[in-house]
Amino acid sequence: MKIEQVFDYHINDELRSKLQNLLIECFSDGYPQERIYFKQVPHFRFVARDGHDQLVGQVGLDYRVMNLNGTPIRVLGVIDLCVSKTNRSQGIGTLLLDKIEDFCEGKSVDFILLFADNKKLYSNAGFKSVNNQCKWLQIDDENQTTHGIGNERINELMIKEVGSIKWEDGNIDLLGYLY
């Protein structure tokens, strides 16, 4: 298994097509057919290829400052982690999560943050569910326009501490869109 870091502005037409097919396969209900992101382009991705150089998984990553109870924190956000249906249950998702954690080593990242419908993979990788009041920029993904500010508790929120700061209950302002 080969996992490489790819900046979105370097993605060529061939990789774009493969990513688009993978994302549509994995997130079939409502994923945009004409692009390789849901609401916003990630800063970079890790892409997983098998021994035949076939794309089998990917994860987008977004680096930004957020505000946790009045304190700025540095967060690496996990976006659209997915593995092709024919390659699931082979540890590829875990390899991608390990790659993210290795990437954070020695860097200015306090937390890895994500929103998960199915929490098993992430819990097994050391992520924990947290119950914070979330505030974020609401984006209409179809029209790609801003349409408000969201403010509620989101049960799918999970984090992993990778820096020296401890996570706290309370309020988290994402200072941007919801992954």
Side-chain angles (χ1 to χ4, degrees):
M1 188 65 49
K2 178 180 157 188
I3 298 177
E4 63 180 316
Q5 181 180 1
V6 177
F7 291 93
D8 267 53
Y9 47 78
H10 284 155
I11 293 175
N12 62 27
D13 289 341
E14 179 184 357
L15 180 55
R16 181 178 319 285
S17 177
K18 290 178 181 181
L19 283 166
Q20 191 171 42
N21 290 335
L22 177 66
L23 289 161
I24 290 168
E25 172 193 343
C26 294
F27 302 107
S28 56
D29 53 337
Y31 205 90
Q33 302 288 309
E34 70 285 349
R35 57 183 195 249
I36 58 172
Y37 61 93
F38 192 69
K39 294 181 184 174
Q40 188 58 266
V41 177
H43 292 115
F44 64 96
R45 300 169 195 259
F46 287 124
V47 296
R49 298 177 190 271
D50 65 13
H52 303 289
D53 204 35
Q54 296 301 308
L55 181 69
V56 295
Q58 79 94 51
V59 60
L61 295 153
D62 180 271
Y63 181 64
R64 73 169 96 145
V65 169
M66 294 182 181
N67 184 304
L68 180 61
N69 296 321
T71 301
I73 57 171
R74 296 161 301 192
V75 172
L76 190 62
V78 175
I79 307 166
D80 294 341
L81 186 146
C82 62
V83 174
S84 67
K85 290 179 181 177
T86 58
N87 290 282
R88 292 184 182 164
S89 300
Q90 297 178 25
I92 297 168
T94 300
L95 287 173
L96 286 166
L97 290 173
D98 290 346
K99 184 74 172 179
I100 294 166
E101 191 168 355
D102 290 346
F103 174 82
C104 291
E105 186 79 25
K107 293 187 177 64
S108 296
V109 178
D110 301 313
F111 302 97
I112 304 170
L113 183 143
L114 58 88
F115 295 90
D117 294 327
N118 184 343
K119 298 181 179 185
K120 183 179 179 187
L121 170 68
Y122 305 106
S123 294
N124 289 342
F127 285 79
K128 66 179 183 177
S129 291
V130 292
N131 188 26
N132 295 73
Q133 183 75 18
C134 299
K135 183 177 179 182
W136 72 95
L137 179 67
Q138 293 177 325
I139 295 177
D140 177 337
D141 60 274
E142 288 182 27
N143 298 313
Q144 296 198 284
T145 59
T146 302
H147 66 89
I149 303 294
N151 194 341
E152 66 183 78
R153 292 191 187 280
I154 301 175
N155 292 332
E156 295 81 10
L157 177 59
M158 300 184 81
I159 62 99
K160 186 168 191 175
E161 297 172 352
V162 292
S164 58
I165 298 173
K166 297 294 179 197
W167 189 266
E168 301 173 355
D169 290 337
N171 297 309
I172 180 75
D173 186 337
L174 278 64
L175 298 176
Y177 75 102
L178 188 71
Y179 307 126

